[in-house]
């Protein structure tokens, strides 16, 4: 017996949902009652369901009717209202588990037609990903009333037949696996009910705007006994484009011409320009419509953020109807970071985990005294010692210098203890993870709601959301949803549960929270941002849609590895033609049901990929298509004034850098090192940041030694050699052996025995360089020179070393790598080790139009230090130079500087000038570019400003 189907065409000159409500009120309202309790109302999306319910309540209140709500469902939940399954239906996760176990139990050779490279037996999460792919494939086929066996029969290529025949065989094993657990596959049960005429319901089904039903849904509706009312957003004279259930007839929309006007299409460039175009349209709409009559539409989620930023800058609040995926919330990030930590137990994963805001706060609460220092210590430990695994012993120097960081690592390990240990069932791990979360979020948890499954896990999941459906803070909502997910997974069928380690369990949960979303509460003045499929039934009077571009709309279905577009067409599944027809119809509704509508057609997506105009623009005459494409490519849109929060500020070429503290009348610098003079010459402002404010870069992400650290590695070996009794050794082979011994001792103290591979390779590179140094050192000894002192130091407090300018004394400090003496000649030499091959002249002087310019004062400053070093010689007679230790053997040698006295006198005057400027607190930034700038983020070089011209009060 076929159902009684009534098709109501409610027109498309006005939004469908208000007309559907009015139609139901006309039919079912009597006296003071508006009784819809005998209906099941089906809508295409969660948003349209929510809006439909709101309109029902408003209509009843306005007419003073007592409303009895119908059951309101989305299309995906309809089939289970039409039949009774023979066994408990497996949830998606249980289906995936069953598929995973069937795949893992199958001979790997047998599975080769399915996937060439299989996961190993212990890669549970990878098996689950493969299983989820096959589950989705089965779901797609089932919605089109197809099975794996049907596809095998339809394909002709031998490889394809083997693949689909294998899937059909695996499917039978999958059904048996579910049956052994007392469960049934919902898609298989639907087809069974259909085949056995078991589809029925006592309720009247009202289909509202459901123009894109699947083959299975159509078949189940046609097979049921009862009444169906199909409400269609179209006039009666367009009935031929729909079937009696209100579904579009694909072929009837192929040549349909949309009533687009040229001025409804707005060209734009990149995503920022597209967002600006949206703001311009909203500014235009604001003159005509209230906020609640304006909607912003997007065709891809990546467009939402730029729109929100632009609108917020204009002082306009928006409501993200799509919500946030939980993996983008604090809870989701925590789960992913923890999974990475448990899987690798590396120092890098620890450093990333403790930067999670909630983890950071928790650590600070555990030890308030160390709250300001522990993270810096941790970064310094990683930057200076390059540890890899937490389980490996740290070098002694790291233990000595960073005890607080090590204590934090131990505290995290203790916190993670419940998530480690022997393999357990996933259900047991879910309980452990839930309890572990409570240690971090005890204040956010409401113990009475933890196991309350009445609250939805997904946005708009429940049929009728309560007015206040739980916590409104996004983190609290995400926590509630994740705890609900853990509760569901903890109750997964024991027959299907799997034994895994804690890291795999955490990763599995982290992967699946991406399917959950949280939605903030909408405020009265918010402009709603809706996705493409929600726009057709939205009833706002003004609409601007961003992204009328390929590949966003219509989306393509040809990229499926298992079901390419040609095969889908052959199987009469939903294909690109169907998507095009659906979106042409949706576009018609957008154009006809609103007073004002604009479409932003951009040139690039959010990631910069070129995006040509949508194929929907081809639903017009050839002449119109050609004109519009030219318009979009060549014409600039008319200017509309958009007021931003920063528009009253002056625009500069770069953002203003932070102002230094006001002068106290006392020079903030009491003493200077050789390096400090170099930094002042380069940029006085950066000098102040480094040497007065002590702001220094710290890179905890590098896996290899920085240039200065590699230099320290070689310096360390040479310093120890210079201080040892072996420094007068003349045999190159013995010197090499001694240097390598000191090198490895230095490396062991600082980097331990488990440093990164990159560091190990750099140590090998240092070995090669030191072998050449040994040859040069032996040659130096042979020439009669001896190392008199290694790492000699000059100190302003100990030695009274200073530079005096106009009665002002600037302390002078420095460490000199090496002082050599030639007893026979009575000559002295000061040498500085350099891990490059450049001569002193190249590093100290720069050619300019005015002649040579000093850019480094190291060796001239060394001359000024000679009186404090105990060297009994005229400073002008002391040699100054480099001991170059280059990656090129021919450049590894001693290079004595050849500065004439007029040049050295220029250097002396420049040193005095630097001291004078520092005394006078001259720290203006340099305009010259800085190579390898450590302060580019502070200096904000090259950044366009929209915040310039702030007065001192700001």
């Amino acid at each position: 017996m076929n159902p009684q189907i009534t098709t109501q065409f409610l027109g498309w000159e006005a939004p469908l949902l208000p007309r559907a409500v009015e139609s139901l009120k006309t039919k079912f309202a009597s006296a003071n009652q508006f009784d819809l309790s005998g209906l099941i109302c089906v809508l295409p999306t969660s948003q349209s369901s929510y809006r439909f319910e709101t309109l029902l309540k408003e209509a009843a209140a306005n007419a003073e009717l007592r409303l009895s709500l119908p059951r309101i469902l989305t299309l995906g939940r309809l089939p289970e209202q039409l039949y009774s399954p023979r066994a408990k239906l497996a949830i998606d996760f249980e289906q995936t588990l069953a598929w995973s176990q069937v795949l893992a139990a199958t001979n790997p050779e047998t599975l080769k037609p399915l996937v060439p490279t299989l996961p190993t037996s212990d890669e549970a999460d990878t098996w689950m990903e493969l299983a989820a792919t096959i589950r989705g494939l089965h779901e797609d086929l089932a919605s089109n009333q197809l099975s794996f066996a049907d596809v095998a029969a339809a394909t002709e290529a031998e490889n394809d037949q083997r693949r689909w025949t294998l899937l059909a065989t695996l499917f039978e094993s999958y059904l048996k696996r579910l049956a052994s657990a007392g469960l049934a596959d919902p898609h298989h049960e639907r087809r069974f009910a259909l085949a056995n005429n078991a589809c029925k319901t006592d309720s009247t089904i009202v289909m509202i705007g459901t123009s894109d039903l699947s083959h299975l849904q159509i078949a189940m509706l046609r097979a049921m006994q009862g009444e169906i009312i199909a409400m269609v957003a179209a006039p009666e004279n367009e009935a031929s484009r729909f079937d009696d259930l209100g579904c579009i007839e694909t072929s009837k929309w192929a040549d349909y011409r949309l009533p687009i006007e040229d001025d409804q299409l707005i060209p734009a460039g990149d995503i920022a320009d597209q967002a600006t175009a949206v703001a311009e349209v909203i500014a235009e709409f604001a003159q005509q419509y209230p906020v609640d009559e304006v909607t912003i539409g997007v065709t891809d989620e990546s467009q939402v953020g730029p729109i929100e930023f632009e609108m917020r800058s204009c002082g306009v609040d928006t409501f993200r109807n799509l919500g946030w995926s939980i993996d983008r919330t604090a809870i989701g990030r925590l789960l992913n970071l923890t999974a990475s930590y448990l899987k690798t137990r590396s120092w890098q994963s620890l450093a990333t985990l403790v930067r999670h805001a909630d983890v950071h706060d928790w650590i600070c609460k555990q030890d308030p005294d160390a709250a300001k220092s522990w993270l810096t210590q941790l970064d310094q430990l990683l930057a200076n010692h390059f540890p890899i695994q937490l389980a490996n012993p740290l070098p002694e120097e790291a233990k000595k210098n960073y005890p607080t960081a090590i204590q934090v690592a131990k505290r995290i390990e203790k916190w993670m203890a419940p998530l480690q240990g022997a393999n357990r069932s996933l259900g047991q791990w879910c309980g452990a993870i839930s309890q572990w979360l409570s240690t971090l979020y005890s204040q956010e948890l409401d113990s009475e709601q933890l196991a309350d499954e009445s609250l939805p896990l997904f946005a708009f999941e429940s049929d009728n959301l309560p007015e206040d459906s739980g916590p409104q803070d996004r983190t609290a909502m995400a926590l509630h949803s994740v705890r609900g997910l853990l509760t569901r997974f903890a109750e997964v069928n024991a027959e299907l549960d799997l034994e895994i380690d804690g890291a795999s369990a955490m990763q599995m949960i982290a992967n699946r929270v991406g399917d959950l979303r949280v939605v903030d509460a909408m405020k009265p003045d918010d402009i709603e941002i809706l996705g493409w499929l929600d726009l057709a039934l939205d009833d706002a009077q003004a609409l601007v849609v961003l992204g009328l571009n390929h590949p966003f709309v219509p989306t393509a279905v040809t990229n499926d590895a298992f079901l390419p577009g040609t095969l889908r067409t052959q199987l009469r599944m939903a294909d690109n033609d169907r998507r095009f027809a659906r979106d042409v119809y949706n576009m018609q509704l957008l154009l006809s049901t609103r007073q004002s509508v604009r479409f932003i057609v951009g040139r690039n997506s959010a990631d910069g990929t070129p995006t040509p105009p949508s194929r929907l623009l081809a639903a017009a005459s050839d002449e119109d298509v050609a004109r519009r494409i030219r318009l979009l490519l060549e014409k600039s849109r008319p200017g509309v004034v958009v007021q931003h929060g920063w528009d009253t500020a002056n625009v500069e070429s770069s953002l203003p850098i932070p102002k230094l503290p006001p002068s106290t009348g006392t020079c903030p610098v009491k003493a200077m090192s050789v390096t400090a003079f170099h930094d002042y010459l380069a940029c006085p402002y950066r000098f102040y940041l480094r040497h007065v404010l002590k702001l220094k870069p710290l890179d905890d992400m590098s896996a290899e030694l920085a240039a200065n650290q590699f230099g320290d590695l070689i310096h360390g070996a040479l310093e120890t050699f210079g201080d040892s009794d072996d420094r007068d050794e003349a045999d190159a082979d013995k010197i090499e052996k001694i240097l390598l011994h000191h090198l490895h001792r230095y490396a062991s103290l600082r980097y331990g025995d488990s440093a990164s591979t990159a560091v190990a390779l750099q140590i090998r590179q240092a070995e090669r360089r030191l072998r050449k140094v040994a040859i040069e050192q032996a040659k130096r000894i042979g020439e009669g020179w001896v190392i008199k002192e290694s790492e000699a130091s000059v100190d302003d407090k100990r030695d009274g070393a200073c530079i005096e300018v106009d009665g002002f004394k600037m302390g002078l400090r420095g460490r000199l790598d090496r002082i050599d003496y030639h007893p026979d000649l009575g000559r002295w030499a000061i040498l500085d080790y350099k891990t490059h091959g450049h001569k002193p002249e190249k590093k100290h002087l720069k050619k300019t139009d005015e002649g040579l310019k000093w850019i480094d004062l190291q060796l001239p400053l060394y001359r000024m230090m000679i009186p404090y070093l105990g060297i009994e010689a005229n400073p002008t007679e002391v040699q100054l130079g480099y001991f170059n230790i280059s990656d090129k053997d021919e450049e590894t040698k001693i290079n004595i500087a050849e500065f004439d006295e007029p040049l050295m006198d220029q250097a002396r005057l420049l040193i005095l000038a630097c001291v004078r400027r520092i005394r006078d607190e001259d720290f203006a930034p340099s305009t010259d570019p800085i190579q390898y700038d450590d302060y580019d983020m502070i200096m904000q070089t090259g950044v366009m400003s929209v915040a310039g011209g702030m007065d001192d009060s700001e």
Side-chain angles (χ1 to χ4, degrees):
M1 182 177 177
N2 294 329
Q4 178 185 343
I5 301 176
T6 303
T7 309
Q8 294 183 2
F9 289 92
L10 301 182
W12 59 27
E13 66 277 5
L16 175 64
L17 294 187
R19 289 193 168 186
V21 169
E22 189 61 32
S23 176
L24 291 174
K25 191 174 75 166
T26 300
K27 183 170 183 178
F28 292 99
S30 61
N32 64 340
Q33 299 293 318
F34 189 9
D35 187 1
L36 303 177
S37 58
L39 306 182
I40 296 176
C41 292
V42 184
L43 292 103
T45 66
S46 298
Q47 165 62 17
S48 58
S49 301
Y50 177 77
R51 181 59 180 161
F52 175 68
E53 179 181 334
T54 301
L55 291 173
L56 282 176
K57 292 177 179 178
E58 290 177 354
N62 292 337
E64 298 183 349
L65 298 173
R66 183 176 179 179
L67 175 64
S68 297
L69 282 169
R71 296 198 64 185
I72 303 175
L73 306 175
T74 56
L75 273 174
R77 303 184 66 180
L78 173 62
E80 272 56 61
Q81 309 303 313
L82 304 180
Y83 75 100
S84 297
R86 294 169 293 172
K88 182 181 178 182
L89 297 179
I91 62 173
D92 287 353
F93 187 63
E94 288 171 327
Q95 296 169 43
T96 304
L97 284 172
W99 273 113
S100 175
Q101 292 172 14
V102 167
L103 291 168
T106 303
N107 188 306
E109 287 297 318
T110 305
L111 292 177
K112 279 192 173 180
L114 186 62
V115 56
T117 304
L118 293 171
T120 59
S121 58
D122 60 345
E123 292 180 302
D125 202 57
T126 309
W127 280 112
M128 289 289 285
E129 288 179 15
L130 178 58
T133 298
I134 296 176
R135 177 183 63 79
L137 188 61
H138 162 54
E139 182 177 343
D140 192 7
L141 290 171
S143 68
N144 288 277
Q145 286 191 279
L146 294 169
S147 66
F148 294 125
D150 294 330
V151 184
T155 55
E156 297 179 358
E158 184 178 349
N159 288 341
D160 289 340
Q161 286 183 346
R162 281 204 303 268
R163 177 187 301 155
W164 292 105
T165 300
L166 171 61
L167 284 169
T169 302
L170 294 173
F171 180 66
E172 294 302 321
S173 299
Y174 158 77
L175 291 178
K176 291 177 182 177
R177 186 72 192 90
L178 284 181
S180 68
L183 299 174
D185 176 74
H187 311 291
H188 186 68
E189 289 299 295
R190 293 170 185 176
R191 296 195 71 184
F192 180 86
L194 185 60
N196 290 273
N197 298 316
C199 296
K200 60 181 180 179
T201 179
D202 295 331
S203 303
T204 296
I205 296 178
V206 183
M207 310 293 292
I208 305 173
T210 52
S211 59
D212 192 26
L213 297 173
S214 71
H215 294 329
L216 181 67
Q217 291 166 340
I218 291 172
M220 293 184 76
L221 286 169
R222 294 197 185 284
M224 62 164 280
Q225 301 175 20
E227 182 182 3
I228 299 174
I229 301 173
M231 295 184 174
V232 185
E236 189 77 42
N237 60 9
E238 297 288 351
S240 63
R241 301 184 190 275
F242 303 87
D243 65 15
D244 56 348
L245 289 172
C247 291
I248 56 172
E249 297 282 3
T250 302
S251 61
K252 300 296 179 65
W253 293 91
D255 298 322
Y256 188 81
R257 295 189 176 184
L258 291 166
I260 306 175
E261 300 293 336
D262 289 358
D263 60 2
Q264 293 175 320
L265 301 175
I266 300 176
D270 61 13
I271 189 63
D273 189 47
Q274 294 168 47
T276 300
V278 170
E280 293 170 357
V281 173
I282 295 299
E284 176 190 342
F285 285 168
Q287 303 173 23
Q288 194 173 354
Y289 302 100
V291 166
D292 60 355
E293 289 295 343
V294 177
T295 296
I296 298 172
V298 294
T299 56
D300 188 73
E301 191 171 356
S302 65
Q303 300 155 355
V304 177
I307 290 175
E308 288 177 324
F309 177 81
E310 178 69 22
M311 299 307 296
R312 193 162 53 243
S313 302
C314 299
V316 178
D317 293 327
T318 55
F319 172 68
R320 180 191 288 239
N321 179 267
L322 298 170
W324 282 262
S325 173
I326 285 185
D327 58 11
R328 294 181 60 190
T329 67
I331 302 297
R333 289 193 295 272
L334 175 65
L335 295 176
N336 275 296
L337 293 175
T338 303
S340 176
Y341 174 85
L342 291 172
K343 191 173 294 183
T344 63
R345 293 196 63 242
S346 67
W347 281 95
Q348 282 291 353
S349 64
L350 172 73
T352 306
L353 174 64
V354 298
R355 278 174 163 76
H356 186 287
D358 298 328
V359 178
H360 179 276
D361 291 347
W362 177 77
I363 293 171
C364 292
K365 289 176 184 177
Q366 303 297 307
D367 189 357
D369 294 336
K372 294 183 178 180
S373 65
W374 67 265
L375 187 56
T376 301
Q377 271 204 25
L378 180 60
D379 286 349
Q380 289 172 334
L381 190 157
L382 268 64
N384 294 330
H385 299 285
F386 303 93
I388 302 299
Q389 297 300 129
L390 286 159
N392 294 334
L394 288 169
E396 291 302 318
E397 190 171 295
K399 294 178 184 178
K400 174 184 175 182
N401 293 337
Y402 309 115
T404 305
I406 295 170
Q407 188 59 40
V408 166
K410 291 179 179 178
R411 183 170 288 119
I412 292 294
E413 274 289 277
K414 184 177 179 181
W415 182 43
M416 294 291 174
L419 306 178
Q420 302 183 61
N423 286 5
R424 298 186 231 169
S425 70
L426 180 62
Q428 290 174 317
W429 283 122
C430 287
I433 293 170
S434 186
Q435 186 62 36
W436 169 79
L437 280 171
S438 68
T439 64
L440 194 63
Y441 295 107
S442 56
Q443 294 183 355
E444 286 85 353
L445 290 172
D446 181 344
S447 59
E448 295 182 358
Q449 291 186 343
L450 293 184
D452 183 1
E453 295 189 10
S454 67
L455 297 182
L457 290 180
F458 298 85
F460 304 114
E461 182 185 345
S462 67
D463 295 344
N464 301 295
L465 285 173
E467 292 291 333
D468 183 3
S469 59
Q472 295 304 306
D473 174 76
R474 196 177 302 159
T475 297
M477 287 192 292
L479 180 62
H480 169 78
S481 292
V482 170
R483 296 275 296 210
L485 181 74
L486 291 169
T487 298
R488 291 188 182 184
F489 284 6
E491 297 171 353
V492 73
N493 190 289
E495 291 289 325
L496 297 175
D497 211 344
L498 69 163
E499 296 277 327
I500 52 177
D501 59 35
S504 297
M506 181 64 75
Q507 189 63 64
M508 204 171 287
I509 298 301
N511 290 345
R512 276 144 193 85
V513 299
D515 296 332
L516 305 180
R517 285 182 172 269
V518 292
V519 182
D520 291 341
M522 185 174 178
K523 301 187 293 293
D525 292 333
D526 286 351
I527 294 181
E528 196 164 17
I529 302 176
L530 297 179
W532 173 255
L533 295 179
D534 286 320
L535 296 176
L537 297 189
D538 178 57
D539 55 306
Q541 289 302 306
L543 169 69
V544 54
V545 181
L546 189 152
L548 194 65
N549 294 90
H550 173 80
F552 304 133
V553 56
T555 53
V557 293
T558 55
N559 294 328
D560 192 309
F562 285 94
L563 289 169
T566 53
L567 182 56
R568 297 182 75 94
T569 301
Q570 181 183 345
L571 295 170
R572 297 186 179 179
M573 297 176 66
D575 57 10
N576 287 331
D577 290 341
R578 179 73 176 181
R579 293 280 177 91
F580 179 77
R582 178 199 69 185
D583 288 342
V584 167
Y585 171 55
N586 285 347
M587 184 101 164
Q588 169 63 48
L589 295 184
L590 303 189
L591 291 163
S592 61
T593 60
R594 287 167 174 76
Q595 294 179 12
S596 299
V597 60
R598 303 286 188 276
F599 299 97
I600 312 297
V601 186
R603 292 190 176 92
N604 300 94
S605 65
D607 64 3
T609 304
T611 52
S614 168
R615 286 198 301 134
L616 296 180
L617 294 182
S621 68
D622 293 343
E623 180 182 344
D624 287 343
V625 172
R627 184 182 67 258
R628 286 167 186 161
I629 294 299
R630 185 173 179 180
L631 176 150
L632 292 171
L633 293 176
E634 298 178 359
K635 186 178 178 181
S636 59
R637 61 181 184 271
V640 176
V641 177
V642 178
Q643 187 73 33
H644 294 95
W646 56 60
D647 283 344
T648 56
N650 296 323
V651 177
E652 298 179 352
S653 61
S654 62
L655 290 169
I657 62 175
K659 293 182 179 179
L660 299 180
S663 173
T664 61
T666 303
C667 180
V669 183
K670 305 302 180 184
M672 292 180 67
S673 66
V674 171
T675 305
F677 277 94
H678 174 272
D679 293 341
Y680 188 83
L681 283 180
C683 176
Y685 184 91
R686 291 173 174 86
F687 165 88
Y688 191 96
L689 296 179
R690 183 181 293 272
H691 296 281
V692 179
L693 298 182
K694 308 299 182 183
L695 299 179
K696 297 180 180 180
L698 194 56
D699 181 10
D700 70 322
M701 294 298 291
S702 178
E704 63 181 22
L705 303 179
N708 65 310
Q709 291 173 316
F710 183 73
D712 290 343
L713 180 65
I714 290 179
H715 275 64
L718 290 168
E719 175 188 348
T720 309
F721 171 77
D723 285 336
S724 72
D725 295 336
D726 300 311
R727 62 186 180 183
D728 295 328
E729 177 60 57
D731 184 272
D733 291 339
K734 291 182 179 180
I735 295 173
E736 176 186 322
K737 185 176 180 180
I738 294 166
L739 287 176
L740 296 187
H741 169 75
H742 293 318
L743 171 71
H744 289 290
R745 186 170 180 274
Y746 181 96
S748 178
L749 284 172
R750 282 156 183 78
Y751 310 122
D753 300 323
S754 305
S756 69
T757 302
V759 171
L761 288 173
Q762 288 176 299
I763 294 172
R764 294 289 298 274
Q765 292 170 354
E767 290 176 3
R768 190 186 66 78
R769 295 198 192 192
L770 289 175
R771 289 189 178 96
K772 177 60 176 174
V773 169
I775 297 172
E776 293 298 316
Q777 176 62 23
K779 187 187 299 183
R780 181 78 166 169
I781 293 293
E783 293 171 351
W785 290 91
V786 295
I787 300 176
K788 196 69 175 178
E789 192 168 358
S790 179
E791 292 295 316
S793 65
V794 170
D795 185 78
D796 59 313
K797 294 179 180 178
R798 184 191 66 210
D799 306 316
C802 68
I803 300 171
E804 187 170 351
V805 178
D806 306 330
F808 173 81
K809 293 182 178 181
M810 175 67 73
L812 186 62
R813 299 172 183 170
R815 292 180 67 86
L816 293 82
D817 289 342
R818 172 167 161 173
I819 300 175
D820 282 7
Y821 180 64
H822 197 297
D824 296 337
L825 301 177
R827 299 293 302 273
W828 293 84
I830 297 175
L831 302 177
D832 196 65
Y833 296 124
K834 297 294 184 184
T835 51
H836 57 69
H838 301 303
K839 293 182 178 182
E841 292 79 10
K842 181 177 178 62
K843 300 299 288 185
H844 282 72
L845 298 167
K846 179 182 178 181
K847 291 183 179 179
T848 68
D849 294 339
E850 291 77 27
L852 294 175
K853 174 184 177 182
W854 286 94
I855 56 174
D856 192 353
L857 297 167
Q858 181 183 25
L859 295 183
L861 284 164
Y862 280 180
R863 175 181 279 191
M864 299 181 78
M865 293 180 182
I866 289 174
Y868 306 102
L869 292 168
I871 296 177
E872 297 179 0
N874 186 328
T876 61
E877 296 177 356
V878 176
Q879 293 181 355
L880 305 169
Y882 289 168
F883 194 143
N884 293 100
I885 307 163
S886 174
D887 58 342
K888 300 176 182 177
D889 288 350
E890 64 274 14
E891 293 179 349
T892 297
K893 57 186 176 181
I894 292 173
N895 286 296
I896 301 301
E898 298 179 355
F899 302 136
D900 59 29
E901 286 308 311
L903 267 177
M904 292 296 282
D905 195 50
Q906 287 181 26
R908 183 184 64 82
L909 293 175
L910 181 57
I911 291 169
L912 297 178
C914 287
V915 171
R916 189 176 290 109
R917 290 176 61 192
I918 293 170
R919 178 202 63 188
D920 296 339
E921 299 185 68
D922 180 0
F923 301 114
S926 170
T927 57
D928 296 331
I930 303 294
Q931 190 176 24
Y932 310 122
D933 189 2
D934 290 330
Y935 303 100
D936 55 346
M937 294 183 70
I938 295 177
M939 304 302 293
Q940 302 174 50
T941 51
V943 179
M944 177 59 70
S945 172
V946 290
M950 293 190 297
D951 61 39
D952 294 341
S953 65
E954 298 176 301

